[in-house]
Every structure is written in structure tokens, then in C-alpha cells.
Amino acid sequence: MRFEDMRVKDIKVALRYTPDITHWVAKNRHTHIIGINLSGREWHDFGYQKLMLEGTGVFFFNARDDFEVRVLEKGVSYSVHFTTYEEIESDTFFVKTADVSALFHG
């Protein structure tokens, strides 16, 4: 199924996130992650691609993808971890956006 056709089965957690550690590996996850990055710089290595989450942007991490993270500058993001009825074919992505941080900080 394509990303734009997904049907959410269950939301496992929604959170505001600031990393406490500077390096970790995420493997064998059962949830997809969609969110908005508001600040900071994190290098994500998915094996088949590398993404720098930097500044404000929208991200999607496919549940099938293991990844390694290196935090270069602590920041803030909001994310939703969820499952779907069918596997999502779309690759993990990060799209830079206009600065929307004022929406989250009042």
C-alpha cells in the first residue's frame, strides 16, 4: 500500500521528544513513526539511505526499516507511533518545511 492510501489500525503512542542520549540503534520495530521535527540535528542511517533531520520538517519512518541515530544537536520533535492494516510500501522520508515551531510553543 502507498503512504497516501494507508489506514491506521492502532496508535501506540504520541509524544514530544528530546533525546537524552547521542547514539542509538532502532531494530525490529513494530510501528511506523510519523512526526514533525522542530529543531536540532540528527543523522539517521537506514542502510539504503541516510537522512539528516535538521530544522523544521515532516518525517516518516517505515516500520520495516532498522536505523542508527547520531544526535549532533539536541532538538525537539513530536511523533505518533502507529500500526496499519497493510504494510506501507513507501520509503522512509524527511521533508523540510517552513518554520512552524510557533504553533507548538504558543
Side-chain angles (χ1 to χ4, degrees):
M1 157 186 57
R2 297 180 324 205
F3 177 81
E4 60 269 22
D5 296 329
M6 80 170 133
R7 288 183 42 229
V8 173
K9 181 177 181 180
D10 188 29
I11 294 176
K12 299 297 185 184
V13 66
L15 53 95
R16 178 184 190 271
Y17 181 72
T18 297
D20 291 330
I21 56 177
T22 59
H23 178 251
W24 68 90
V25 175
K27 290 188 174 190
N28 303 314
R29 293 176 303 110
H30 301 287
T31 60
H32 304 288
I33 303 170
I34 190 164
I36 184 164
N37 194 71
L38 297 177
S39 61
R41 290 179 55 219
E42 294 181 357
W43 187 245
H44 289 68
D45 184 347
F46 293 90
Y48 68 95
Q49 72 170 326
K50 294 174 175 55
L51 298 175
M52 177 67 76
L53 273 64
E54 181 173 31
T56 306
V58 174
F59 60 88
F60 167 71
F61 296 167
N62 195 307
R64 70 171 181 243
D65 293 336
D66 295 337
F67 59 93
E68 179 178 359
V69 179
R70 294 211 181 264
V71 176
L72 305 174
E73 177 185 320
K74 281 188 175 187
V76 174
S77 64
Y78 290 84
S79 63
V80 176
H81 300 231
F82 64 97
T83 59
T84 54
Y85 289 97
E86 300 175 49
E87 289 186 25
I88 298 174
E89 298 168 2
S90 302
D91 288 337
T92 291
F93 63 80
F94 176 67
V95 178
K96 287 189 74 92
T97 62
D99 183 4
V100 295
S101 60
L103 297 173
F104 294 89
H105 299 295

